[in-house]
């Protein structure tokens, strides 16, 4: 249904003549094998294809890019993800308007990018794949004497994709379709947004060696783990007893005011990056889950800092080091931050080695460690090699170490995500 909506949205606004220029296209075919470390969890063998077509007609650019995955033994891993399916019309040299679905990457950091909030995500995938779902949008973009401005209007609600309980990326239990909690509408399933249109305004400017951006957004928070029910009855006992009146395995999408900024500054072989975002619920909600108890969604923020170092070493390899840290502020307690946020006070270290040969190859070593909770980290070792002009090989091992039994965190639900991954990709 998501792809159907996207194509209809694209075709409605694409009424121009199709006397187009040369067509760019590709359709890489990929075979993926996931083998979970926990033998009680199903493995996954899937086939993916990512067709891409781009062409122009007069002052209109057309782009069609989607993602198809078919799993041989995981129904929840078989889906179609619309990505960049749009028509962009150049109004003049400085301004353009776009209709369709689009993937947005506002963030500067590699791991802790809190600014990538526009698109819903596919959580039925690895941490490091970061698969986004194309968001149906109307986008106005232009250049002024004060910098670049961008207005993004989102007329539809698009559900994230959640894994089944026995998926190699699952939480150990099935999640239901999310409910969208708007300011003027009761919680609803995903459909045309009857409460208000989501919108985002961004300003960005580049100076010598410095990139800046700032934004305001009124949109739903799609990528946090607010799991539970807002429909419960409280018995006035001591302590209170909460009786859920509906299912508590439901992700809650919450209407938010978002305000933030980002900065990148270059110093020869160093790049300094920082991001900040402040989230304020339009209306504060209480969410009850029998496992985590009663939690209140209150204003909260995240600050991320990163350094990218690309030294010139005496080697034929390109070397890059990434050091990133993120801290989450707000919520009523540390325990609530740990329930709602995967990363609360985390450090990421990444080493990437690659070459520029015709048959490209790279090695990436990454570790993400929680500075608040002992024995909570993700470790990843990834290798990629181009075997020929049309064939690429990828291999990755990912280990997830969860917190102790005494620590109740959302990360604890992800401890089953340790897995081994192998992929072969063919480019037509």
């Amino acid at each position: 249904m998501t792809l159907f909506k996207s194509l209809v949205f694209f075709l409605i606004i694409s009424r121009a003549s199709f006397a187009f220029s040369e067509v760019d296209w590709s359709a890489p075919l990929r075979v993926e094998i996931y083998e979970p470390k926990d033998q009680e969890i199903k493995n996954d063998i899937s086939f993916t294809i990512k067709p891409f077509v781009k062409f122009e007609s007069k002052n209109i650019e057309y782009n069609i890019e989607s993602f198809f995955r078919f799993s041989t033994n995981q129904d929840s891993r078989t889906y179609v993800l619309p990505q960049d399916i749009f028509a962009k019309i150049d109004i003049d040299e400085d301004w353009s308007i776009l209709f369709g679905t689009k993937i947005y990457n506002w963030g500067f950091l590699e791991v802790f990018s809190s600014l990538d909030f526009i698109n819903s995500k596919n959580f039925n995938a690895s941490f490091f794949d970061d698969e986004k779902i194309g968001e149906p949008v109307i986008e106005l973009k232009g250049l002024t004497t004060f910098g670049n401005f961008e207005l993004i209007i989102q007329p539809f609600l698009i559900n994230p994709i959640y894994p089944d309980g026995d998926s190699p990326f699952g939480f150990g239990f099935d999640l239901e379709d999310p409910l969208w909690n708007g300011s003027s509408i009761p919680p609803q399933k995903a459909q045309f947004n009857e409460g208000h249109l989501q919108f985002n305004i961004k300003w960005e400017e580049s100076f010598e060696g410095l990139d800046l951006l700032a934004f305001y957004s009124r949109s739903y928070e799609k990528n946090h783990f607010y799991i539970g029910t807002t429909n419960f009855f409280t018995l006035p006992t001591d302590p209170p007893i909460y009786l859920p009146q509906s299912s508590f395995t439901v992700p809650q999408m919450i209407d938010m005011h978002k305000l933030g900024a980002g900065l990148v500054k270059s110093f020869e072989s160093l790049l300094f990056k920082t991001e900040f975002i402040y989230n304020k619920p339009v209306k504060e909600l209480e969410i009850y889950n029998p496992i985590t108890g009663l939690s209140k969604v209150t204003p909260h923020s995240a600050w991320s800092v990163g350094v990218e170092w690309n030294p010139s070493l005496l080697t034929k390899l390109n070397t890059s080091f990434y050091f990133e840290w993120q801290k989450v502020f707000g919520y009523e307690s540390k325990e609530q931050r740990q329930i709602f946020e995967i990363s609360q006070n985390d450090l990421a270290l990444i080493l990437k080695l690659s070459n520029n040969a015709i048959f490209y190859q790279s090695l990436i070593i990454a570790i993400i460690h929680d500075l608040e909770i002992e024995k909570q980290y993700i470790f990843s070792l990834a290798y990629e090699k181009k075997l020929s002009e049309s064939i690429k090989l990828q291999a990755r091992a990912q280990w997830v170490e969860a917190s102790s039994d005494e620590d109740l965190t959302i990360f604890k639900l992800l401890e089953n995500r340790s897995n081994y991954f192998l992929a072969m990709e063919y480019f037509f």
Side-chain angles (χ1 to χ4, degrees):
M1 182 59 70
T2 300
L3 181 61
F4 176 75
K5 285 182 180 179
S6 304
L7 290 174
V8 170
F9 192 51
F10 173 76
L11 291 173
I12 288 175
I13 49 82
S14 302
R15 296 183 177 180
S17 168
F18 280 85
F20 50 81
S21 60
E22 183 178 350
V23 176
D24 293 329
W25 71 276
S26 64
L29 176 65
R30 180 182 177 97
V31 180
E32 301 175 338
I33 301 173
Y34 281 96
E35 184 64 34
K37 182 180 177 182
D38 187 342
Q39 296 302 311
E40 295 183 0
I41 301 174
K42 291 182 182 179
N43 66 351
D44 181 62
I45 301 174
S46 60
F47 300 86
T48 69
I49 187 167
K50 192 174 182 179
F52 165 75
V53 179
K54 180 180 179 180
F55 55 92
E56 295 182 1
S57 174
K58 298 181 180 178
N59 65 326
I60 304 178
E61 174 189 321
Y62 297 92
N63 195 98
I64 303 174
E65 183 173 0
S66 287
F67 184 87
F68 299 82
R69 173 175 280 128
F70 172 75
S71 173
T72 58
N73 58 351
Q74 290 275 347
D75 290 343
S76 67
R77 292 264 295 164
T78 298
Y79 40 71
V80 179
L81 300 184
Q83 295 192 310
D84 290 318
I85 305 176
F86 59 77
K88 187 178 76 170
I89 304 170
D90 291 330
I91 301 172
D92 56 29
E93 293 183 356
D94 297 327
W95 289 86
S96 65
I97 188 168
L98 177 148
F99 303 88
T101 66
K102 190 176 178 183
I103 300 292
Y104 288 91
N105 297 291
W106 280 10
F108 295 136
L109 279 77
E110 300 294 317
V111 178
F112 302 128
S113 182
S114 54
L115 305 190
D116 285 337
F117 58 83
I118 294 180
N119 297 90
S120 292
K121 291 186 179 181
N122 173 25
F123 291 105
N124 201 2
S126 168
F127 286 114
F128 297 94
D129 290 338
D130 193 28
E131 294 179 1
K132 299 178 181 178
I133 305 171
E135 194 77 18
V137 297
I138 302 171
E139 174 194 284
L140 179 65
K141 196 172 185 178
L143 174 64
T144 73
T145 55
F146 304 101
N148 297 290
F149 283 87
E150 190 171 348
L151 170 65
I152 302 168
I153 298 173
Q154 300 166 257
F156 294 102
L157 304 177
I158 302 298
N159 284 338
I161 294 177
Y162 295 101
D164 287 342
D166 60 354
S167 166
F169 312 104
F171 305 103
F173 57 89
D174 293 344
L175 291 174
E176 300 181 34
D177 289 338
L179 287 176
W180 299 76
N181 290 271
S183 59
S184 58
I185 54 175
Q188 63 175 4
K189 301 289 186 179
Q191 56 181 312
F192 184 78
N193 191 338
E194 299 173 355
H196 70 274
L197 294 178
Q198 302 174 85
F199 67 93
N200 313 269
I201 302 172
K202 183 180 75 166
W203 166 85
E204 60 183 341
E205 182 63 289
S206 296
F207 305 94
E208 186 173 350
L210 178 66
D211 295 328
L212 292 171
L213 73 81
F215 67 88
Y216 168 75
S217 173
R218 172 72 184 274
S219 59
Y220 286 91
E221 179 51 71
K222 312 175 187 72
N223 300 315
H224 281 63
F225 291 90
Y226 303 121
I227 300 173
T229 178
T230 59
N231 183 16
F232 58 89
F233 180 74
T234 305
L235 294 179
T237 57
D238 188 17
I241 297 176
Y242 305 102
L243 302 176
Q245 304 298 297
S246 60
S247 174
F248 52 82
T249 57
V250 178
Q252 303 287 337
M253 310 289 107
I254 299 176
D255 191 6
M256 295 274 190
H257 295 287
K258 299 174 180 288
L259 187 66
L263 176 150
V264 176
K265 173 64 177 175
S266 62
F267 302 93
E268 297 182 352
S269 62
L270 286 176
L271 285 176
F272 173 78
K273 311 174 185 181
T274 186
E275 299 177 6
F276 177 81
I277 186 169
Y278 173 75
N279 303 279
K280 182 181 180 180
V282 174
K283 61 179 182 181
E284 294 189 1
L285 291 177
E286 290 184 327
I287 298 175
Y288 177 70
N289 187 303
I291 299 174
T292 59
L294 183 68
S295 303
K296 182 180 291 186
V297 182
T298 57
H300 55 280
S301 58
W303 180 38
S304 306
V305 177
V307 175
E308 178 182 339
W309 181 35
N310 301 288
S312 299
L313 302 178
L314 298 177
T315 175
K316 296 181 180 180
L317 296 176
N318 299 321
T319 305
S320 297
F321 295 93
Y322 301 88
F323 307 88
E324 295 186 6
W325 168 77
Q326 176 175 264
K327 174 71 173 178
V328 174
F329 305 89
Y331 296 110
E332 291 190 322
S333 65
K334 181 180 75 172
E335 288 73 23
Q336 290 200 5
R337 288 201 309 272
Q338 294 171 357
I339 290 170
F340 291 145
E341 305 273 352
I342 294 180
S343 301
Q344 310 97 39
N345 184 11
D346 289 22
L347 179 69
L349 303 175
I350 304 173
L351 168 63
K352 181 177 181 180
L353 303 173
S354 62
N355 65 10
N356 293 321
I358 296 177
F359 297 123
Y360 169 88
Q361 60 182 333
S362 70
L363 176 68
I364 300 176
I365 303 171
I367 184 169
I368 303 172
H369 177 57
D370 193 307
L371 301 178
E372 285 187 355
I373 302 175
E374 186 179 0
K375 295 182 179 179
Q376 184 162 291
Y377 63 84
I378 303 172
F379 178 77
S380 176
L381 179 65
Y383 176 73
E384 179 179 311
K385 182 174 176 58
K386 191 173 182 181
L387 301 178
S388 68
E389 291 290 340
S390 56
I391 299 177
K392 183 172 68 175
L393 173 70
Q394 289 180 298
R396 182 173 65 227
Q398 176 180 293
W399 295 274
V400 180
E401 178 68 30
S403 55
S404 65
D405 294 337
E406 290 75 27
D407 294 314
L408 183 59
T409 68
I410 187 63
F411 200 94
K412 184 68 175 176
L413 301 177
L414 306 178
E415 62 182 338
N416 293 331
R417 290 195 175 205
S418 296
N419 60 73
Y420 307 99
F421 167 78
L422 181 66
M424 186 79 73
E425 193 165 8
Y426 180 80
F427 296 86
F428 292 97

